[in-house]
Amino acid sequence: MHETKVVLNKAWTFKACDEQDWENAVVPGFVHTDLLKNERIQDPFYGTNEKLVQWIDKKDWEYKTTFQVTDEILSEEHVDLIFHGLDTYADVYLNGVHILSADNMFRVWEVNVKSILKAVDNELRIVFRSPIQEDLPKLEALGYQLPAANDQSEVGGLSKKRVSIFARKAPYHYGWDWGPRFVTSGIWRDIELRAWSEDYIADAYIHQNKVSESTAALTAVLEVNVDQAGPRVIRIETDGGEWTKEVDLPAGESKLNIDFELESPKLWWSRGLGEPHMYTFKVQILDTTGSLTKAERCIKTGIRSIRLVQEADEYGTSFYFELNGVPVFAKGANHIPNDSFITAVTYERYRHEIESAALANMNMLRVWGGGIYEQDVFYDLCDEYGILVWQDFMFACSMYPGDEAFLASVQHEAVDNIKRLRNHPSIALWCGNNEMDSAWAHYNENGGWGWKKDFTQEQREKIWADYEAIFHHLLPEVIEELIPGADYWPSSPIVSISNDINQHATTSSVTGDVHYWGVWHNAEPFENYNLQLGRFMSEYGFQSFPEHKSVLRYAEPSDLELTSEVMMAHQKNGDGNRLIKKYMDMYMTEPKDFPSFLYMSQVLQADAMKVAIEAHRRNRPFVMGTLYWQMNDTWPVASWAGMDYYGNWKALHYYAKRSFADEMISIDDTKPGRVDLYLLSDVLRPLEGDISIRVADFDGTLHEVQTHMVSIAGNTTGLVLSLDREQLLSGKDEQRTVMIVELVSKGEVIDSQKHYFVPFKDMKLTKAQIDITEVEGSEGTKFHLKASVLAKQVWLDSNQEGIFSDNFFDLIPGETKEVSFFARKGGEHAFELANPGELKVRSMSDFIKETQVQNQ
């Protein structure tokens, strides 16, 4: 077997094409990050520095390196240079010979360079053309501006000339309503030198034809390349089996389908339903004796059946995922890139995100279409933790050209990324784009975002025809060719893939998926989350700020004011700060200062998402998925994220952990005069036990205790108790009364919830004293908390990076709450039980004005 791979990521330099001096560069990387490392620019994330670096994307940039090649490599029959990621318009020269012109950030480019290579001092030079200068002529030639709602061209000094739609590069690079405008260039994935002779396996995919607990009928789909035609033996082996087949291969490239069966497979399950077991399949090309290995490739995958179920039911048409025959209620969030400069995202940062998702009881993340097809490690970790992936193609909130060159580029992009990702068992769905169907609303003259009114009828038809060419033809055809039977959804949201005029971009909630933004963008009350329901809630959200110490990493103390230039620069949703303040006035009391405002914005966000998540879960099976916007941030900013840019869990993430619990109680008081208790289960075993109900004053005085036996089947939702509100209160002061509900099963407390009878702003809070003591023998890793009176939204904070087992919880007198600290680590797991160092504990009464705190 002859195969050698070398990654060319050393000794790079770069410069602007109109400059003379070369400076050191880091590959993979971007021009922006190299300029920062060489102190040519200030931190673009700090203050208002974003606007100081907009000159970078107007220039051409050049990278070069020199590398040596061994005699062993030169002796091989085939030597290829593989460019796994060039961003975006690039001309590549090897030893002065032009070998490649690249024009798609998402493509893999391969070039045979054997005839150009020499043993020493091979010079590889890459010239990146300005994406702005490259695409402005395309806009002029088109003659009209295609919609590109989030392209912040004004920030880039381009007026309203939005050119993002012409470049096959990450849309968020041009700005978004949570992200800055940094239009990058650079070598963003590895460049690899690959040499081989005789036989080579170019690609291997384990297609799963039919999977059950007894048998997995599989097909190894192989792309092979051999120099000499003739007979070979294909051997496939994994835990639990070995299969061989004799084949007769022609010289050159060919495709093989090898069918085989795996008996009693260990299935891959999403988190909460079972083990996400992974198999490694070793595929070999052998000589006819079976003793000489001529080529080899290993594939990791999980054995599972996954399908999107859309069937007529009593409500309309279902929309849910079925894994190994089991309906899955999807719980999770939308994922965006973890950084404006994606090469800055380390393995540790990826593990931190995916482990945080698992710890918050999520089972799905949506890779949103305005970012990137994620790095391999992202999907590896989703496979490992049992996190299903809704995978968008990289198109969002815009309309795109449909010329022949653009379509050809998109097709290559789709093929490259589908082949790269199709072995990951975590990928549950491929989706064409984000919000484009609903924004354009071709079949509803008064629907959508008002885009159509800017175009003539002829232009409208052309734009829609180009849309259909990509999302209704090209992408589903490539999917069916490369992953036969895989589910494809043209746009999120959409209610049907048919061309019926009533089945595009409507507000129907009885079929398809829904993005509900009435809360937030339309300033509707949180209570509307209980009313605006769809079969799968794939987007909804509410903003907050990062915590105080995070804000101080991008702002000066003098900037800590809601309308300061820096606060506005780090709030990309134009109405965002006003909306946070508006909702805070609706639901909360006035914070005493700006750091308190930051804390209260997080509590406000968390409360909103709790209402939404639990409304969705209570309405199962009508609703079968809830993915809030958004999981993470791409830079330090006020946004919809549940974790800030630095990885700190906001209040929302702790709330999500509780509201996504696999077995829990959910309390609903939307029916007049009633307090309804639901049991929610996302595991397969039945849930039965006792619910105890206690009614108490905020000072801990206990008024009523009652116990009820309850039960529901596994993987269902059920209303188990409906209580009379007035009987629970029995004349007590509703502004100072709390109901504590606890579910106990087989001696174990499964869940505990607190319910209040008035909105937060109407509660009569008193100043809470919280005592915290170290648990004996825990070596400072665990603590007990007790409160003198009701302490709402208890916030534990440490000077160490990490998370607590629980946070932003309510504590009443008589309760003892045990909390552990887990430091952020870079090892096998993202978090490790540790001493938090300096520990602070505060509650809501510490953040509101003293005039709003009652005397005890």
Side-chain angles (χ1 to χ4, degrees), residues 393 395 402 407-408 410-412 414-415 418 430-433 437 443 461-482 486 488-491 494 497-499 504:
F393 288 91
F395 301 87
L407 292 178
V410 170
Q411 181 165 21
H412 283 295
V415 169
I418 292 168
W430 297 83
C431 179
N433 67 73
D437 187 298
Y443 299 102
E461 295 303 325
K462 173 67 167 65
I463 291 168
W464 183 248
D466 290 344
Y467 174 94
E468 288 194 310
I470 297 174
F471 302 107
H472 289 202
H473 298 289
L474 189 157
L475 291 178
E477 288 168 7
V478 175
I479 288 276
E480 185 57 29
E481 178 186 353
L482 297 178
Y488 170 78
W489 192 238
S491 183
I494 193 175
I497 62 172
S498 77
N499 286 328
H504 272 277

Side-chain angles (χ1 to χ4, degrees), residues 304-341:
R304 89 290 185 262
S305 64
I306 184 82
R307 70 183 184 111
L308 175 63
V309 180
Q310 297 181 85
E311 297 173 347
D313 60 16
E314 60 184 300
Y315 312 107
T317 302
S318 66
F319 192 107
Y320 69 89
F321 295 94
E322 182 186 85
L323 177 64
N324 301 324
V326 175
V328 177
F329 188 99
K331 303 177 296 187
N334 287 261
H335 160 91
I336 64 174
N338 276 302
D339 208 287
S340 294
F341 312 110

Side-chain angles (χ1 to χ4, degrees), residues 389-541:
V389 175
W390 170 315
Q391 177 66 54
D392 282 6
F393 288 91
M394 292 304 115
F395 301 87
C397 301
S398 306
M399 299 301 280
Y400 292 83
D403 57 90
E404 186 177 342
F406 190 85
L407 292 178
S409 183
V410 170
Q411 181 165 21
H412 283 295
E413 167 189 325
V415 169
D416 288 350
N417 285 284
I418 292 168
K419 282 186 175 181
R420 178 171 69 92
L421 302 177
R422 59 184 173 174
N423 279 307
H424 289 283
S426 53
I427 296 182
L429 180 69
W430 297 83
C431 179
N433 67 73
N434 176 73
E435 296 186 342
M436 289 165 55
D437 187 298
S438 57
W440 181 258
H442 190 69
Y443 299 102
N444 183 349
E445 182 60 30
N446 298 315
W449 297 358
W451 287 352
K452 295 191 299 294
K453 65 180 175 56
D454 295 328
F455 300 93
T456 67
Q457 190 62 38
E458 183 180 359
Q459 289 169 342
R460 290 187 189 189
E461 295 303 325
K462 173 67 167 65
I463 291 168
W464 183 248
D466 290 344
Y467 174 94
E468 288 194 310
I470 297 174
F471 302 107
H472 289 202
H473 298 289
L474 189 157
L475 291 178
E477 288 168 7
V478 175
I479 288 276
E480 185 57 29
E481 178 186 353
L482 297 178
I483 328 174
D487 286 302
Y488 170 78
W489 192 238
S491 183
S492 178
I494 193 175
V495 295
S496 173
I497 62 172
S498 77
N499 286 328
D500 187 308
I501 62 170
N502 295 316
Q503 297 298 310
H504 272 277
T506 76
T507 56
S508 168
S509 61
V510 298
T511 184
D513 68 316
V514 171
H515 293 191
Y516 170 58
W517 284 102
V519 175
W520 184 256
H521 287 304
N522 294 346
E524 295 175 14
F526 294 170
E527 290 75 15
N528 278 14
Y529 281 128
N530 292 287
L531 306 174
Q532 301 296 329
L533 301 169
R535 308 310 306 267
F536 195 103
M537 306 301 292
S538 48
E539 263 197 40
Y540 58 93

Side-chain angles (χ1 to χ4, degrees), residues 348-385:
E348 186 277 333
R349 286 175 66 180
Y350 274 116
R351 183 172 283 277
H352 173 272
E353 180 194 3
I354 304 306
E355 190 166 318
S356 292
L359 289 172
N361 297 308
M362 295 182 182
N363 60 17
M364 178 172 275
L365 292 172
R366 174 183 173 222
V367 178
W368 164 79
I372 64 168
Y373 303 95
E374 266 297 353
Q375 309 280 41
D376 292 340
V377 61
F378 175 89
Y379 303 97
D380 290 341
L381 289 165
C382 288
D383 292 343
E384 177 185 341
Y385 283 89

Side-chain angles (χ1 to χ4, degrees), residues 499-676:
N499 286 328
D500 187 308
I501 62 170
N502 295 316
Q503 297 298 310
H504 272 277
T506 76
T507 56
S508 168
S509 61
V510 298
T511 184
D513 68 316
V514 171
H515 293 191
Y516 170 58
W517 284 102
V519 175
W520 184 256
H521 287 304
N522 294 346
E524 295 175 14
F526 294 170
E527 290 75 15
N528 278 14
Y529 281 128
N530 292 287
L531 306 174
Q532 301 296 329
L533 301 169
R535 308 310 306 267
F536 195 103
M537 306 301 292
S538 48
E539 263 197 40
Y540 58 93
F542 194 91
Q543 275 202 1
S544 74
F545 275 78
E547 61 187 80
H548 188 213
K549 64 186 179 185
S550 291
V551 172
L552 289 177
R553 294 176 72 169
Y554 65 83
E556 297 293 328
S558 58
D559 299 319
L560 300 187
E561 196 274 321
L562 196 58
T563 58
S564 75
E565 186 179 9
V566 171
M567 289 303 108
M568 296 304 290
H570 288 258
Q571 167 58 275
K572 288 294 184 176
N573 181 231
D575 214 21
N577 290 356
R578 186 192 69 81
L579 281 169
I580 294 174
K581 179 67 167 61
K582 179 183 178 73
Y583 275 103
M584 197 173 291
D585 291 342
M586 288 170 60
Y587 288 101
M588 308 189 78
T589 51
E590 189 176 355
K592 67 180 183 181
D593 53 26
F594 192 73
S596 300
F597 176 88
L598 301 177
Y599 160 88
M600 290 177 69
S601 78
Q602 291 201 17
V603 171
L604 184 70
Q605 176 193 39
D607 280 342
M609 295 298 91
K610 172 183 168 63
V611 173
I613 291 168
E614 295 189 24
H616 301 158
R617 294 190 68 189
R618 286 196 302 268
N619 281 278
R620 176 180 183 162
F622 177 78
V623 183
M624 283 297 288
T626 178
L627 307 179
Y628 63 76
W629 185 270
Q630 64 209 60
M631 178 71 179
N632 55 321
D633 269 329
T634 198
W635 77 315
V637 66
S639 80
W640 297 271
M643 301 190 302
D644 71 24
Y645 170 73
Y646 304 106
N648 298 304
W649 287 19
K650 294 183 181 180
L652 165 54
H653 204 79
Y654 287 103
Y655 266 57
K657 180 182 179 181
R658 296 194 288 264
S659 290
F660 282 150
D662 291 335
E663 295 177 308
M664 66 171 290
I665 306 162
S666 181
I667 303 172
D668 177 27
D669 65 354
T670 57
K671 296 175 185 174
R674 309 302 301 174
V675 178
D676 292 336

Side-chain angles (χ1 to χ4, degrees), residues 26-38:
V26 176
V27 171
F30 297 99
V31 171
H32 290 71
T33 54
D34 286 327
L35 289 171
L36 181 61
K37 287 183 175 70
N38 286 281

Side-chain angles (χ1 to χ4, degrees), residues 2 48 85 95 162 173 214 232 238 300 356 395 593 694 826:
H2 304 280
T48 59
N95 295 330
R162 298 183 170 91
H173 286 170
S214 60
R232 306 286 199 282
T238 191
K300 288 190 70 175
S356 292
F395 301 87
D593 53 26
R694 293 175 287 148

